[in-house]
Amino acid sequence: MSSSSYLHLFQLCFFLVISTCVAQTTFHPKTLFLAVKKDPSTLQYITKVHQRTPLVPLKLAVHLGGESLWVDCEQGYKSYTYKPARCNSRQCNLARSTACGDCFENSTRPGCNNAACYNLVVNPSMDAMSSTSGEIAEDVLSIQSISGSIPGPVATVPRFIFSCSTTNLTQNLGKDVKGMVGFGQQSPVSFATQFASAFRFSRKFAICLSSSTERNGVIFIGHSPYYFSLAFDASQDLIYTPMITLPHYITITYPHYTRINRASSEYYIQVSSIRINGKTLHLNKTLLSLDENNEEGGTKIRTAVPYTAFEGSVYSAVSKAFVNELPEEVKTVSPVQPFKTCFDSTYIGMSRLGYNAPEINLVLHKPNVYWTITGANSLVKVTEKVICLAFVERDQTLGQAIVIGGYQMQDNLVEFDLSRGRIGFSDSLFFRQTMCSNHNYA
């Protein structure tokens, strides 16, 4: 045996000892975190985890409704602890496998093994939400824990279930981004669910996206408090609305296989009306209700969408009311793609809540429960003298009437409490003279 083979054998044995210690450790963090940065070119929200043996840092795009973590295994995936999930195994069942079989390449590798199971891997940033088959596997994965208001010890899951994808599915992702990390609500192998199971804390996570491309926001996984500057716990300001789940199964076209049924892992809420400066808009109530049989209408929350998208009639009503509530001296100008409603910024002032703009309230399941959107999240600067209404018109004929995107979530804390079936909104942290990047976790 060569010296390099002895070295590899020693490293593998060493890891197995460490893995056993990790699995049996008394270290039980209550909260973990991921630093999140906005990519200026793609407007995606990017985080980093450490995976494999030896550990390798991986940049991944955040996909709120994604079923699992998936990575590109075609380009340079090397790990002593990679283990494909075998047909009909527990791992295959947890990951809701859609197929099982052999790899037809000349040699096996991560992502291509015999008697392995596969599931659906999706990239929503590609046209028509491109998807492919991904080998289900396990490997080491580590992220940071929280100790009070600062980073704590590293938390490691030795057998984290994920999916191996092909390189072509990373198209349209940011530079050096190797996959996506999914937080889907009905998936047993979503990122938050696996860590909650490993360390026995509640299935809960909170997202706080930074509006800056230079400073990190944060995703909390586990228990509150969620501390920001001046020891402010943002969880104290949350208002809650029920998390809507789809009990039926939706049909997805799966490349190279038959059609399959899949419970939706996306996040839905009830928006019953929209108010602008306290005035309720006249909207088609049918559009605002989720049709569970056809997965149309209603409201969805997605980090994979950069700006909130409205169905055409909803967009028209919001845009018209917003313009009517602006001062007369504020003039509209030619639209700048992808926006349809833009303004000369000369006569629009600034405050600690962003641009001086009409207040938008998304009224949730009760009239007195609403999420407030201020100028920081309703207007976006596109040139030195032009700002635009930071909402877009839905470009397809079917789908949700409202898809809340990343820009409207920036500098707001949004908590997803899977254990209690609810979603909490904080309103803009600017009200508290802080923001999502004002933390000590990264």
Side-chain angles (χ1 to χ4, degrees), residues 24-287:
Q24 297 176 353
T25 183
T26 57
F27 169 54
H28 292 294
K30 293 183 177 180
T31 311
L32 312 173
F33 80 91
L34 295 170
V36 182
K37 182 169 286 187
K38 184 177 182 179
D39 181 75
S41 59
T42 64
L43 303 184
Q44 296 162 3
Y45 299 94
I46 310 300
T47 189
K48 183 187 293 184
V49 303
H50 286 78
Q51 190 203 38
R52 313 174 192 179
T53 304
L55 288 172
V56 173
L58 288 179
K59 291 174 66 176
L60 304 170
V62 176
H63 181 14
L64 180 62
E67 293 189 348
S68 64
L69 183 150
W70 65 262
V71 300
D72 171 15
C73 289
E74 277 191 325
Q75 301 295 320
Y77 193 109
K78 296 179 181 179
S79 175
Y80 304 126
T81 47
Y82 179 91
K83 183 179 180 181
R86 299 305 179 185
C87 295
N88 303 315
S89 65
R90 171 181 170 274
Q91 292 82 357
C92 295
N93 292 332
L94 283 174
R96 300 193 288 191
S97 171
T98 56
C100 197
D102 295 337
C103 180
F104 298 105
E105 295 183 9
N106 292 330
S107 61
T108 60
R109 59 169 177 81
C112 186
N113 289 274
N114 294 328
C117 59
Y118 299 81
N119 65 355
L120 188 70
V121 181
V122 177
N123 180 355
S125 69
M126 296 175 65
D127 293 338
M129 285 186 63
S130 293
S131 60
T132 187
S133 59
E135 180 177 271
I136 300 167
E138 295 178 327
D139 212 335
V140 179
L141 193 139
S142 295
I143 62 175
Q144 202 84 33
S145 71
I146 288 174
S147 178
S149 60
I150 60 175
V154 169
T156 299
V157 177
R159 301 177 63 182
F160 192 92
I161 299 173
F162 71 107
S163 295
C164 267
S165 178
T166 53
T167 302
N168 66 337
L169 203 66
T170 62
Q171 295 178 52
N172 293 359
L173 296 182
K175 183 180 178 181
D176 299 325
V177 176
K178 300 300 183 182
M180 307 191 81
V181 53
F183 288 84
Q185 65 159 313
Q186 296 198 68
S187 171
V189 294
S190 72
F191 196 80
T193 295
Q194 287 199 65
F195 273 100
S197 298
F199 294 105
R200 298 182 180 88
F201 53 65
S202 298
R203 291 189 304 127
K204 184 168 65 174
F205 66 95
I207 292 180
C208 205
L209 302 175
S210 174
S211 55
S212 169
T213 57
E214 302 297 326
R215 299 185 300 274
N216 290 332
V218 62
I219 297 178
F220 301 94
I221 302 169
H223 297 281
S224 55
Y226 312 127
Y227 286 122
F228 292 89
S229 60
L230 304 176
F232 165 61
D233 175 13
S235 68
Q236 301 302 309
D237 280 358
L238 294 175
I239 55 102
Y240 290 96
T241 193
M243 180 188 300
I244 299 175
T245 60
L246 293 185
H248 75 289
Y249 282 71
I250 59 176
T251 303
I252 301 174
T253 301
Y254 191 54
H256 313 304
Y257 295 93
T258 58
R259 298 173 77 85
I260 62 171
N261 289 322
R262 175 78 79 195
S264 177
S265 59
E266 300 278 3
Y267 290 91
Y268 304 89
I269 58 172
Q270 176 63 51
V271 173
S272 57
S273 64
I274 299 176
R275 295 196 297 251
I276 296 184
N277 272 0
K279 301 174 183 177
T280 301
L281 306 187
H282 296 289
L283 302 174
N284 183 342
K285 295 294 185 180
T286 302
L287 282 173

